[in-house]
Amino acid sequence: MSARRPPTLEDVAARAGVSRATASRVVNDDPRVRESAREAVTAAIAELGYRPNRAARSLVVREPDSVAVLVHEPDQRIFADPFFGGMLRGVSQRLADTPLQMVLLMGEPARDAARMERYLRAGHTDGVIVVSAHRGDGLMAALSETRLPTVFVGRPLTEGPAFAYVDVDNREGGRIAARRLIERGCRRIATITGPTDMAAGIDRLAGWRDEMTAAGLATDAVEPGDFTPQGGTDAMRRLLAAHPDLDGVFVASDLMAAAAMAELQAAGRRVPDDVALVGFDAGAAASMTRPPLTTVANPVLEMAVRATELLLRLMRGEEVQPEVLPTRLVEGGTA
Amino acid sequence: MSARRPPTLEDVAARAGVSRATASRVVNDDPRVRESAREAVTAAIAELGYRPNRAARSLVVREPDSVAVLVHEPDQRIFADPFFGGMLRGVSQRLADTPLQMVLLMGEPARDAARMERYLRAGHTDGVIVVSAHRGDGLMAALSETRLPTVFVGRPLTEGPAFAYVDVDNREGGRIAARRLIERGCRRIATITGPTDMAAGIDRLAGWRDEMTAAGLATDAVEPGDFTPQGGTDAMRRLLAAHPDLDGVFVASDLMAAAAMAELQAAGRRVPDDVALVGFDAGAAASMTRPPLTTVANPVLEMAVRATELLLRLMRGEEVQPEVLPTRLVEGGTA
DNA sequence: AGCCGTTGTGAGAGCGCTCTCACGCAAGGA
DNA sequence: TCCTTGCGTGAGAGCGCTCTCACAACGGCT
């Protein structure tokens, strides 16, 4: 017992007094093994502490074994936003009954893009789910070069190759939010948008514009946010300074909405009496405020599951179509 | 071009007119290759779209290539709690300059324990970081059997083998929180605890008890929570019913504290004037309430980084000691 | 001229596994 | 009795790669 080499199937076979082939059959649950042989092998495995070498296995049975989830966001956001937790959860859930493993690639666009790209190019993985892609982060080009099956969560903003994606109907969500504020009697309605380099930001704003224009209301009270609480606070402050007469705000995420609401209250405005508020996401943050947020549903878990489903189909070589999930208003007490 | 077999190093070598060994040298940046040969191989790689087979490589150069992060929590919590995002972020950050990949294993203790255990046993991974282990979920035994290097985030509650871990000084945190409430003049101080099967829950409560007892105050107003907003709401409601005279509450997490605060306000209590509140975590949730929470710092990112560091050391065969990080009060407006 | 070291290269073994193929053997049918 | 089955098994090839070892070629020495 000098060279502390981990036991191989060969060792197991020797100890059990069978051939490597039979030992392999036991490990892989092949039914064509006599019970006594099976027991001997099982015992040998236990005694030796044998663990199959995955590399050797996958060298032979060439089949996909992992899916990468790419999260391309600055630290701060991943930290705070339950969106990502839900995403991972959904992917993991759908993958549970497949042999595929979920490999997480996280990083800031600027700092880690090169490393991520290198990893993807190296072919360590068999499919990619991109969560929250931004316009122009160079990722799309790199991805389409790798020819890896890829699904985006959130419509990718790209001129180039068409990627499969799953998204919620953000534009309709924006309309729903604006409609509620208008029907409530608000006339000076502002919006805090998401990042303007993401489809979620652009589309929610567009929906809000649709409805505002249809109602003949001004659409000039627009402040960009970045989906973080701090961004919500700042945007609300700017909004109050520029449009002190506002009586309704559509905030493109609950996290920002909660922060914006705190800012409103700090400025002495009552919610919803002075200013009505509609958020977006209907996540945990919505129920943590007082009153709870009126907000637009964002089926995060479902998107994750659907995206994974699409990816699995893509990996089987099937054609897929983008999916856009419906949304609806979730009642709270802020509008 | 019939059998669409991915190109191998052999193909590259043939195309470049060199041997497999030379091609391999080029791929692995071995300096001992003539410039002309290097160019030929590089060109062949590009033309053929060659990607090295990772399995074949790691079959030969036996070195660790992945680390599993085990998250053992019900859906609901992972969804909402920024703790997990921070955790993943920290691990990913520390791993960034190593060749190790982070593999995520998520699942509910009851439903997915078997699958996780199987995965770990299968030896797909070279180290494990366990995030938020509960007492008696059988994980510890399974883990110690696999003999895989393992680090816990949060002190594991186990009688058996000693695991390496990183934790924040939860007990001291509980003391800090109680002390603040006492110094503020509160006399009827309650607490909403974390899960009683987790060290974080037990230790924070113990710290609160230390300080309360030292101050000669009653320690009977204790309601268990589960770190979720809903748990915070329910516990606060029970607390108000059982101890309507309370004037201070230590809530063992910000998420619960924010919910508890909403519940207090709904019951007509002003925070902090009628009831003072101290949370735990100092995460994003703390700054989202009005007023922002006074809370005890929980260095999530740092714990993740430290835990990963310990794991790397363990994987190199070094001895490691548990690490307990200090904490402190973060000022807000609730106590 | 003869020897050495250096440099670039190729042949080939072998990593641990799966899987095909062939074979021994027992049971059943002719 | 002989011939089929079919089951359990073992021998052995081969997956794509790395790495050792041997060797050719070429200076620069004595």
Side-chain angles (χ1 to χ4, degrees):
Chain A
M1 277 290 167
S2 50
R4 218 70 196 79
R5 183 180 51 79
T8 73
L9 198 55
E10 192 78 55
D11 302 329
V12 171
R15 178 153 195 142
V18 299
S19 75
R20 188 155 30 87
T22 299
S24 173
R25 289 187 186 102
V26 173
V27 171
N28 293 295
D29 279 326
D30 191 309
R32 303 169 316 174
V33 179
R34 204 189 315 146
E35 195 50 40
S36 62
R38 182 179 304 280
E39 279 164 18
V41 172
T42 309
I45 288 176
E47 287 160 25
L48 268 50
Y50 168 74
R51 290 180 355 194
N53 181 321
R54 187 170 167 76
R57 176 174 209 289
S58 64
L59 184 56
V60 179
V61 291
R62 193 175 321 289
E63 60 186 15
D65 70 346
S66 77
V67 160
V69 175
L70 217 104
V71 180
H72 224 203
E73 283 291 338
D75 280 44
Q76 193 187 2
R77 228 198 112 195
I78 298 180
F79 233 112
D81 205 326
F83 177 80
F84 297 101
M87 238 26 254
L88 296 179
R89 179 78 212 170
V91 173
S92 154
Q93 195 169 300
R94 179 61 189 84
L95 251 28
D97 62 353
T98 74
L100 296 169
Q101 265 312 308
M102 169 170 156
V103 172
L104 202 63
L105 289 179
M106 297 183 132
E108 289 205 41
R111 197 188 53 201
D112 305 311
R115 181 173 59 90
M116 290 179 158
E117 208 179 309
R118 197 177 339 118
Y119 183 80
L120 292 175
R121 292 202 123 92
H124 298 330
T125 200
D126 310 283
V128 186
I129 293 177
V130 181
V131 175
S132 103
H134 294 252
R135 190 206 297 278
D137 57 5
L139 197 60
M140 324 258 182
L143 276 169
S144 80
E145 261 182 52
T146 65
R147 315 200 132 271
L148 242 38
T150 302
V151 176
F152 281 73
V153 175
R155 182 168 63 83
L157 294 170
T158 172
E159 316 285 293
F163 283 104
Y165 69 90
V166 173
D167 209 343
V168 64
D169 193 342
N170 285 305
R171 186 150 190 168
E172 179 60 18
R175 287 197 204 102
I176 289 172
R179 203 176 306 144
R180 158 58 63 104
L181 291 168
I182 293 166
E183 283 170 359
R184 192 174 206 286
C186 301
R187 283 301 167 263
R188 191 65 181 115
I189 304 174
T191 184
I192 298 175
T193 75
T196 49
D197 62 350
M198 293 180 71
I202 295 169
D203 294 353
R204 290 172 197 176
L205 172 60
W208 175 84
R209 279 232 162 83
D210 289 348
E211 204 68 19
M212 292 290 285
T213 308
L217 296 174
T219 59
D220 60 322
V222 175
E223 279 293 337
D226 59 0
F227 284 155
T228 71
Q230 188 60 52
T233 303
D234 296 347
M236 194 68 240
R237 192 167 299 154
R238 291 195 301 271
L239 232 32
L240 280 173
H243 312 281
D245 57 331
L246 58 84
D247 58 3
V249 188
F250 165 45
V251 189
S253 92
D254 284 351
L255 232 42
M256 291 198 298
M261 183 162 145
E263 187 63 26
L264 277 172
Q265 291 168 336
R269 312 292 181 104
R270 287 168 307 161
V271 177
D273 305 308
D274 299 334
V275 180
L277 214 59
V278 176
F280 204 113
D281 280 345
S287 52
M288 270 173 47
T289 60
R290 199 84 233 157
L293 289 173
T294 298
T295 181
V296 179
N298 193 6
V300 177
L301 196 68
E302 194 186 345
M303 282 203 286
V305 171
R306 295 302 309 158
T308 313
E309 184 64 41
L310 287 195
L311 184 63
L312 292 176
R313 297 231 290 271
L314 235 32
M315 286 167 68
R316 288 196 297 263
E318 299 172 20
E319 293 278 314
V320 305
Q321 293 298 318
E323 292 192 12
V324 176
L325 305 179
T327 184
R328 62 188 180 79
L329 197 74
V330 174
E331 296 296 341
T334 60
Chain B
M1 279 288 169
S2 51
R4 216 69 195 83
R5 185 179 52 80
T8 72
L9 199 54
E10 192 78 56
D11 301 331
V12 171
R15 177 151 194 144
V18 299
S19 75
R20 187 155 32 85
T22 298
S24 174
R25 289 190 186 101
V26 173
V27 170
N28 293 294
D29 278 328
D30 190 310
R32 303 168 316 174
V33 179
R34 204 188 314 145
E35 195 50 41
S36 63
R38 181 180 306 280
E39 277 164 17
V41 172
T42 308
I45 288 175
E47 286 161 25
L48 266 49
Y50 168 75
R51 290 182 349 196
N53 181 320
R54 187 170 167 78
R57 175 173 211 289
S58 64
L59 184 56
V60 181
V61 291
R62 195 174 319 290
E63 59 187 17
D65 70 345
S66 77
V67 160
V69 176
L70 218 102
V71 180
H72 223 205
E73 283 291 337
D75 280 45
Q76 192 187 2
R77 229 198 112 194
I78 298 179
F79 234 111
D81 205 327
F83 176 80
F84 297 101
M87 236 30 251
L88 296 179
R89 180 77 211 171
V91 174
S92 153
Q93 195 169 299
R94 179 60 189 84
L95 251 29
D97 62 354
T98 75
L100 296 169
Q101 264 311 308
M102 169 170 156
V103 171
L104 203 63
L105 288 179
M106 295 184 134
E108 289 206 41
R111 196 187 55 201
D112 305 310
R115 179 172 61 88
M116 289 179 161
E117 208 180 309
R118 196 176 341 119
Y119 183 80
L120 292 175
R121 292 202 121 93
H124 297 331
T125 198
D126 309 284
V128 187
I129 293 177
V130 181
V131 175
S132 103
H134 294 252
R135 190 207 298 279
D137 56 5
L139 197 63
M140 324 258 183
L143 276 169
S144 79
E145 263 183 52
T146 64
R147 314 201 133 273
L148 242 40
T150 303
V151 175
F152 281 73
V153 175
R155 183 168 62 84
L157 294 170
T158 172
E159 315 286 292
F163 284 103
Y165 69 88
V166 173
D167 209 343
V168 65
D169 193 342
N170 285 304
R171 187 150 190 168
E172 179 60 18
R175 286 195 205 105
I176 289 172
R179 202 175 307 145
R180 158 58 63 105
L181 291 169
I182 293 165
E183 283 170 359
R184 190 174 206 287
C186 302
R187 282 303 167 263
R188 191 67 181 112
I189 303 174
T191 184
I192 297 176
T193 74
T196 50
D197 62 350
M198 292 179 71
I202 294 171
D203 295 353
R204 289 172 198 176
L205 172 60
W208 174 84
R209 277 230 162 84
D210 289 349
E211 204 70 19
M212 292 290 285
T213 307
L217 297 174
T219 59
D220 61 321
V222 176
E223 279 293 337
D226 59 359
F227 284 153
T228 71
Q230 187 60 51
T233 304
D234 296 347
M236 195 67 240
R237 193 168 299 155
R238 292 196 301 270
L239 233 31
L240 281 172
H243 311 280
D245 58 331
L246 59 82
D247 58 3
V249 188
F250 165 45
V251 188
S253 91
D254 284 350
L255 232 41
M256 292 198 297
M261 183 162 146
E263 189 63 26
L264 277 172
Q265 291 168 335
R269 313 290 181 105
R270 287 168 306 162
V271 177
D273 306 308
D274 300 333
V275 181
L277 214 59
V278 176
F280 204 113
D281 279 345
S287 51
M288 272 172 47
T289 61
R290 201 81 233 158
L293 290 173
T294 298
T295 182
V296 179
N298 193 7
V300 178
L301 195 69
E302 194 186 344
M303 282 203 287
V305 171
R306 294 304 309 160
T308 312
E309 185 63 41
L310 287 195
L311 184 63
L312 293 176
R313 298 231 289 269
L314 235 32
M315 287 167 66
R316 287 196 297 262
E318 299 172 20
E319 294 278 314
V320 304
Q321 294 299 318
E323 293 192 10
V324 176
L325 306 180
T327 183
R328 60 186 181 80
L329 196 74
V330 174
E331 297 294 341
T334 60

